[in-house]
Amino acid sequence: MSENLIGIDIGGTKLAVVLAKRTGEVLRKRRAPTRAELGPESVLQTLFALVQELMQGVQWRDIAAFGVSCGGPLDSDSGVIYSPPNLPGWDAIPLKQRVEEAFGRPAWVENDANAGALAEWKFGAGRGLKNVIYMTMGTGIGGGLVLDGQLYRGTNDLAGELGHQTLLVDGPECGCGKRGCLESLCSGPAIARRAGAALEGGHRSSLEDDVSGDPSRITAEAVFSAARRGDRLCREIVDETGEYLGWGIGNVLNIINPELVAIGTIAVHGWDLLEPPTRASLRRHAWPRALEAAQVLPSQLGDSIGDLAAIAIALAHLR
Amino acid sequence: MSENLIGIDIGGTKLAVVLAKRTGEVLRKRRAPTRAELGPESVLQTLFALVQELMQGVQWRDIAAFGVSCGGPLDSDSGVIYSPPNLPGWDAIPLKQRVEEAFGRPAWVENDANAGALAEWKFGAGRGLKNVIYMTMGTGIGGGLVLDGQLYRGTNDLAGELGHQTLLVDGPECGCGKRGCLESLCSGPAIARRAGAALEGGHRSSLEDDVSGDPSRITAEAVFSAARRGDRLCREIVDETGEYLGWGIGNVLNIINPELVAIGTIAVHGWDLLEPPTRASLRRHAWPRALEAAQVLPSQLGDSIGDLAAIAIALAHLR
């Protein structure tokens, strides 16, 4: 049995390829900018060259399979990518087939949130659990669901869009075209926008100096930094973020009753500040027995979840 | 192979036992009042007597198994019932074991919402589908989830509590102790309460005559009847119910991406009035591709879902 796997992570700004053992131990890693503007053929050629570089001195017989993590929408059965927002021109690209043809090894493709759920379940806080949710919290809010020990994709690969539950029916516009989605309140850009609106509304904050008075330079990171050093407005913005987050996750606990919700990027870096308001809100919105059954934590894989996500896809299929 | 199954439906007001073929064809049926106030032993004796009556002239060798549908909380693995609100004194009653000991046939116990989901999937609009949600809409709002062709119960048998997602953070008090749950807005008592509050607030409606001026006599049925004959206030109450319902179901479509949501009692009797506002709201709250993938309908088993629910439990385990 070939012991090693190759993971491919296709992001809007960077490509990463990883050679790893089935245990999740990363042996080698290569990266390159995606340069998505050059179109899918160019990106695929860069990707294939990265894989060749990764394989220098490694035998192909030691490679069991590829896992490929990519932004959706995509069809996980056929491995075809359908125009993800971050990959312009990737319209019906048969990614699974292209990788298999190029390297003669089986390949499986999943969207990045599903891949994150598999990684958290195989290698992170979800090891040995049956019902694991991974929630992305960065530019957007999405999610992947492992239920009864299997990735649950839904009817057309859309399950887990936790960020697009409506919380505030007249809330802010969301990138998806709806209003008041969890994502429109708690994503990185949403946090920055709420802080910017407060400054423009005349609130005082040391954040103003941090961004040299230019609200367009506010980021969620800047809001968390200012909150961490005691800035009152930024503390309020973070507290409000936790309230919405606990509300959204509380709804999910009541509907899905998981053992674990592991939250990505923003929670990984800001849990010290986010945890208290999130927990208070969870206690208001989740049923006590559903809350008792569930750990709610930042992803235990931190920022390395991307490396393991693609590996976990291959592992889930080989099992 | 024994071709027949016995279904037991334990409700707060009535007990029903059904003898049916594996195809769902009901051969015989017996009912009795639950008389829950007499305590679990008395109820079980009534139940066992009903089964004996049902079996008159039938051979036990023709019976493969029992399915038992009962209000939760309960542990579906052990078949133990833990104090459902509608069965006072049923504290840790080993229902599965009691039925198996009494009749020498395997028995499985599920909560009524899960049983409804199995029935809709085996015998109703969900036949042949993989991802089916059954939503109860009566005294309360609950749900059962069949995902990837299996009943999904969650970590401690709480999955599917669709009615306890928070829609309005400062909304009406819910029976569960929270505020603004879908159930607190769309259950039968919630519909009646909203109508009563409108009357007390001075709105005029022919509903007043229907209940002889006594708001405590308002029921959801009365609101739908008045709406159906054109009463303006009751039309507004029904429209508002559809708006909340579409919002709650829209969230569920985004999170679970099912092929079917089949809705019980109130939708079964009032879909003519509820459908237009519900669909308009679904279009606002669900992602277009998730909405396209999903039928949203009243239960196709109508009021007979209770008979088939218990049979479907047995069938799901024997498969």
Side-chain angles (χ1 to χ4, degrees):
Chain A
M1 188 169 78
S2 309
E3 281 309 311
N4 296 333
L5 304 169
I6 294 180
I8 296 179
D9 185 9
I10 305 181
T13 55
K14 71 171 177 48
L15 303 173
V17 297
V18 172
L19 174 69
K21 295 190 180 178
R22 287 174 187 240
T23 56
E25 187 190 334
V26 173
L27 303 172
R28 286 184 187 179
K29 192 168 157 178
R30 294 291 180 275
R31 281 165 186 275
T34 305
R35 305 195 62 189
E37 69 281 6
L38 301 180
E41 266 326 305
S42 165
V43 174
L44 285 175
Q45 292 319 314
T46 309
L47 198 59
F48 293 167
L50 280 184
V51 173
Q52 296 293 5
E53 210 185 307
L54 191 76
M55 285 295 294
Q56 297 262 333
V58 180
Q59 304 289 325
W60 274 104
R61 66 165 180 268
D62 292 337
I63 304 300
F66 283 81
V68 185
S69 167
C70 186
L74 56 80
D75 179 325
S76 57
D77 278 340
S78 62
V80 174
I81 311 297
Y82 294 102
S83 308
N86 62 352
L87 294 171
W90 286 57
D91 189 14
I93 298 293
L95 186 56
K96 172 187 170 73
Q97 186 192 333
R98 293 295 299 272
V99 172
E100 291 182 340
E101 282 173 5
F103 301 111
R105 284 292 176 281
W108 293 281
V109 179
E110 296 286 352
N111 75 52
D112 37 14
N114 285 352
L118 290 171
E120 200 66 40
W121 176 53
K122 293 281 181 192
F123 304 121
R127 267 175 300 185
L129 303 184
K130 270 174 31 179
N131 304 314
V132 171
I133 297 182
Y134 174 68
M135 182 169 164
T136 63
M137 186 183 183
T139 313
I141 293 187
L145 314 175
V146 171
L147 306 181
D148 283 339
Q150 283 200 86
L151 183 64
Y152 172 71
R153 298 181 181 87
T155 300
N156 50 352
D157 273 310
L158 286 174
E161 290 293 356
L162 316 177
H164 297 286
Q165 52 179 312
T166 307
L167 297 190
L168 298 180
V169 76
D170 296 315
E173 269 183 50
C174 186
C176 75
K178 294 172 47 185
R179 278 191 171 276
C181 295
L182 176 62
E183 177 171 302
S184 77
L185 299 161
C186 292
S187 68
I191 294 168
R193 203 199 50 241
R194 292 212 321 276
L199 290 187
E200 288 178 4
H203 286 77
R204 303 293 300 271
S205 162
S206 59
L207 188 62
E208 265 175 301
D209 297 334
D210 299 342
V211 299
S212 311
D214 178 1
S216 73
R217 291 176 55 190
I218 300 174
T219 60
E221 290 90 327
V223 172
F224 275 79
S225 295
R228 197 168 282 116
R229 65 173 188 256
D231 182 87
R232 180 188 283 194
L233 176 71
C234 289
R235 286 302 281 258
E236 285 175 12
I237 300 282
V238 170
D239 285 352
E240 195 180 57
T241 304
E243 279 169 37
Y244 291 126
L245 188 65
W247 176 0
I249 294 175
N251 285 349
V252 171
L253 296 188
N254 293 342
I255 293 172
I256 300 186
N257 186 207
E259 287 157 290
L260 171 69
V261 178
I263 317 167
T265 318
I266 292 175
V268 167
H269 296 280
W271 196 237
D272 56 330
L273 297 173
L274 260 183
E275 183 175 9
T278 302
R279 289 221 181 279
S281 176
L282 274 170
R283 282 191 292 273
R284 276 199 305 283
H285 294 288
W287 272 19
R289 289 184 61 232
L291 186 54
E292 275 164 34
Q295 296 174 274
V296 177
L297 298 171
S299 166
Q300 298 302 291
L301 300 172
D303 289 332
S304 70
I305 193 162
D307 294 342
L308 293 173
I311 295 296
I313 295 168
L315 208 55
H317 281 274
L318 288 172
R319 193 175 52 133
Chain B
M1 188 170 78
S2 308
E3 281 309 312
N4 296 332
L5 304 167
I6 294 179
I8 296 179
D9 185 9
I10 305 181
T13 56
K14 71 171 175 50
L15 303 173
V17 297
V18 172
L19 174 69
K21 295 190 180 179
R22 287 173 186 240
T23 56
E25 187 189 332
V26 173
L27 302 171
R28 285 186 190 178
K29 191 167 158 179
R30 294 289 180 277
R31 282 167 186 273
T34 306
R35 304 195 63 189
E37 70 281 7
L38 300 179
E41 269 324 306
S42 166
V43 175
L44 286 175
Q45 292 319 314
T46 308
L47 198 59
F48 293 168
L50 279 184
V51 173
Q52 296 293 4
E53 211 185 306
L54 190 76
M55 286 295 293
Q56 296 264 332
V58 180
Q59 304 288 324
W60 275 104
R61 68 165 179 268
D62 292 336
I63 305 298
F66 284 82
V68 186
S69 167
C70 186
L74 56 80
D75 179 323
S76 57
D77 278 340
S78 61
V80 174
I81 312 296
Y82 294 102
S83 308
N86 62 352
L87 294 171
W90 285 58
D91 189 14
I93 298 295
L95 186 56
K96 171 187 170 75
Q97 185 191 335
R98 293 293 301 271
V99 173
E100 290 182 342
E101 282 173 7
F103 301 112
R105 285 290 177 284
W108 293 281
V109 179
E110 296 286 353
N111 76 51
D112 37 14
N114 285 353
L118 290 171
E120 199 67 40
W121 175 52
K122 293 280 181 192
F123 304 122
R127 268 175 298 182
L129 303 185
K130 271 173 32 178
N131 304 315
V132 171
I133 297 182
Y134 174 68
M135 181 168 168
T136 63
M137 185 183 184
T139 313
I141 293 186
L145 314 177
V146 171
L147 305 181
D148 283 339
Q150 283 200 87
L151 183 64
Y152 172 71
R153 297 181 182 86
T155 300
N156 50 352
D157 273 311
L158 285 175
E161 289 294 355
L162 316 177
H164 297 287
Q165 52 179 310
T166 307
L167 297 190
L168 299 180
V169 76
D170 296 315
E173 270 182 50
C174 186
C176 74
K178 293 172 47 185
R179 278 192 171 274
C181 296
L182 176 62
E183 177 171 304
S184 78
L185 298 161
C186 291
S187 69
I191 294 168
R193 203 199 49 243
R194 290 212 323 275
L199 290 187
E200 286 177 5
H203 286 77
R204 303 293 300 272
S205 162
S206 59
L207 188 61
E208 267 175 301
D209 297 335
D210 299 342
V211 299
S212 311
D214 178 0
S216 74
R217 291 176 55 190
I218 300 175
T219 61
E221 290 90 329
V223 173
F224 274 80
S225 295
R228 198 167 281 118
R229 66 172 187 256
D231 182 89
R232 181 188 282 196
L233 175 71
C234 289
R235 286 303 281 259
E236 285 174 13
I237 301 282
V238 170
D239 285 350
E240 196 179 56
T241 305
E243 279 168 36
Y244 291 126
L245 188 63
W247 176 0
I249 294 176
N251 285 349
V252 171
L253 296 189
N254 293 342
I255 294 171
I256 301 187
N257 185 208
E259 288 158 288
L260 171 69
V261 178
I263 317 166
T265 319
I266 292 175
V268 168
H269 296 281
W271 196 238
D272 56 330
L273 298 174
L274 260 183
E275 183 175 8
T278 303
R279 290 222 180 279
S281 176
L282 274 170
R283 282 191 292 272
R284 276 199 306 284
H285 294 288
W287 272 19
R289 288 185 60 233
L291 185 55
E292 275 164 32
Q295 296 175 274
V296 177
L297 298 171
S299 166
Q300 298 303 291
L301 300 172
D303 289 332
S304 71
I305 193 162
D307 295 341
L308 293 173
I311 295 296
I313 295 168
L315 208 56
H317 281 275
L318 288 172
R319 195 175 49 136

